[in-house]
Amino acid sequence: DAGITQSPRHKVTETGTPVTLRCHQTENHRYMYWYRQDPGHGLRLIHYSYGVKDTDKGEVSDGYSVSRSKTEDFLLTLESATSSQTSVYFCAISESGRGETQYFGPGTRLLVL
Amino acid sequence: GENVEQHPSTLSVQEGDSAVIKCTYSDSASNYFPWYKQELGKGPQLIIDIRSNVGEKKDQRIAVTLNKTAKHFSLHITETQPEDSAVYFCAALLRSGGGADGLTFGKGTHLIIQP
């Protein structure tokens, strides 16, 4: 998985609780992305980062926030989890060009009850 | 934004035969088209990609073709093997000035290799 780890790998939480997912890379790549994968929707971009403290919204950013204080770490926070945020979350990284050659992590399976 | 359609959703082929998966995209400004393979319980794995200034690219048994005029691109796998069984996703990259440079994905094709 190209030096990408995600934690936790599985999480069950209750509606209304905050949740933070972590993506950690050892490749020193500039760009990092968060996607969610749902049946019937494929993968959709939530947020992305183009450098430390530089982030922007993706297609499905409502209800999510991100932070990147170090090159190697990109955090995704669900401020108040809802059942519609039950999904598999993937982090991706890329070095060459904006958006090209993205490598994905192993994913975090999140269940919101 | 970009919209990517992928067909078929399921494809079953005999081992040794070829498989073709097709995608269409909506925005002619898209200029990068990767293909990913995803095995059960794992993250998507980049297997091949093509840029809009190239019509075809090959890597061993895998090839991708791009028709910019028709706005479609295809994945070709020859001499299929059991380990090719997986879900395959196409994607397109539409760069915008200040917006997201994430990929827009198709909904996936479940490729089944029959022994």
Side-chain angles (χ1 to χ4, degrees), chain B residues 3 15 18-20 29 37 56 65 70 73 75 86-87 90 96 103 115:
Chain B
N3 182 52
E15 182 178 350
S18 295
V20 181
K37 174 184 180 183
E56 182 176 4
T65 58
F73 56 112
L75 178 71
V87 179
C90 64
S96 57
L103 295 166

Side-chain angles (χ1 to χ4, degrees), chain B residues 62-76:
Chain B
I62 295 173
V64 56
T65 58
L66 172 64
N67 183 327
K68 288 196 300 180
T69 302
K71 290 188 285 186
H72 68 70
F73 56 112
S74 301
L75 178 71
H76 305 253

Side-chain angles (χ1 to χ4, degrees), chain A residues 20-83:
Chain A
T20 296
L21 308 182
R22 180 187 185 225
C23 177
H24 178 79
Q25 59 144 330
T26 57
E27 306 296 324
N28 201 37
H29 284 1
R30 176 180 177 184
Y31 302 97
M32 299 185 75
Y33 309 81
W34 277 107
Y35 292 86
R36 60 178 288 175
Q37 184 174 38
D38 305 288
H41 290 279
L43 289 130
R44 292 178 293 173
L45 180 69
I46 305 171
H47 280 280
Y48 76 112
S49 170
Y50 47 96
V52 173
K53 299 190 187 304
D54 293 322
T55 65
D56 208 344
K57 295 179 179 180
E59 176 189 358
V60 290
S61 60
D62 287 349
Y64 302 95
S65 62
V66 291
S67 66
R68 192 169 178 200
S69 58
K70 298 184 290 185
T71 299
E72 58 266 35
D73 289 327
F74 192 30
L75 303 180
L76 176 71
T77 298
L78 290 65
E79 302 291 347
S80 178
T82 67
S83 58

Side-chain angles (χ1 to χ4, degrees), chain A residues 9 33 35 37 40-43 45 48 56-58 90 97-106, chain B residues 32 36 38 41-44 46 49 51 89 93 95-103 105-107:
Chain A
R9 294 293 315 278
Y33 309 81
Y35 292 86
Q37 184 174 38
H41 290 279
L43 289 130
L45 180 69
Y48 76 112
D56 208 344
K57 295 179 179 180
F90 288 100
R98 291 171 66 189
E100 294 189 1
T101 322
Q102 293 186 27
Y103 297 103
F104 283 77
Chain B
Y32 172 72
Y36 286 84
Q38 187 176 26
K42 296 186 177 181
L46 179 64
D49 56 13
R51 291 172 177 80
F89 292 94
L93 179 66
R95 291 207 181 91
S96 57
D101 287 342
L103 295 166
F105 284 83
K107 291 183 170 51

Side-chain angles (χ1 to χ4, degrees), chain B:
Chain B
E2 179 59 279
N3 182 52
V4 177
E5 299 284 340
Q6 182 171 348
H7 300 280
S9 57
T10 303
L11 177 61
S12 181
V13 301
Q14 290 295 123
E15 182 178 350
D17 288 350
S18 295
V20 181
I21 302 170
K22 299 180 180 181
C23 288
T24 59
Y25 59 99
S26 60
D27 198 315
S28 57
S30 290
N31 56 9
Y32 172 72
F33 308 92
W35 286 89
Y36 286 84
K37 174 184 180 183
Q38 187 176 26
E39 297 174 332
L40 194 61
K42 296 186 177 181
Q45 175 191 4
L46 179 64
I47 57 172
I48 196 166
D49 56 13
I50 191 167
R51 291 172 177 80
S52 58
N53 58 347
V54 175
E56 182 176 4
K57 183 177 179 179
K58 291 183 179 179
D59 183 3
Q60 300 182 337
R61 296 186 297 109
I62 295 173
V64 56
T65 58
L66 172 64
N67 183 327
K68 288 196 300 180
T69 302
K71 290 188 285 186
H72 68 70
F73 56 112
S74 301
L75 178 71
H76 305 253
I77 305 175
T78 59
E79 301 173 9
T80 53
Q81 301 168 3
E83 54 264 37
D84 294 330
S85 292
V87 179
Y88 290 80
F89 292 94
C90 64
L93 179 66
L94 174 63
R95 291 207 181 91
S96 57
D101 287 342
L103 295 166
T104 300
F105 284 83
K107 291 183 170 51
T109 296
H110 186 192
L111 177 62
I112 302 166
I113 308 301
Q114 302 280 5

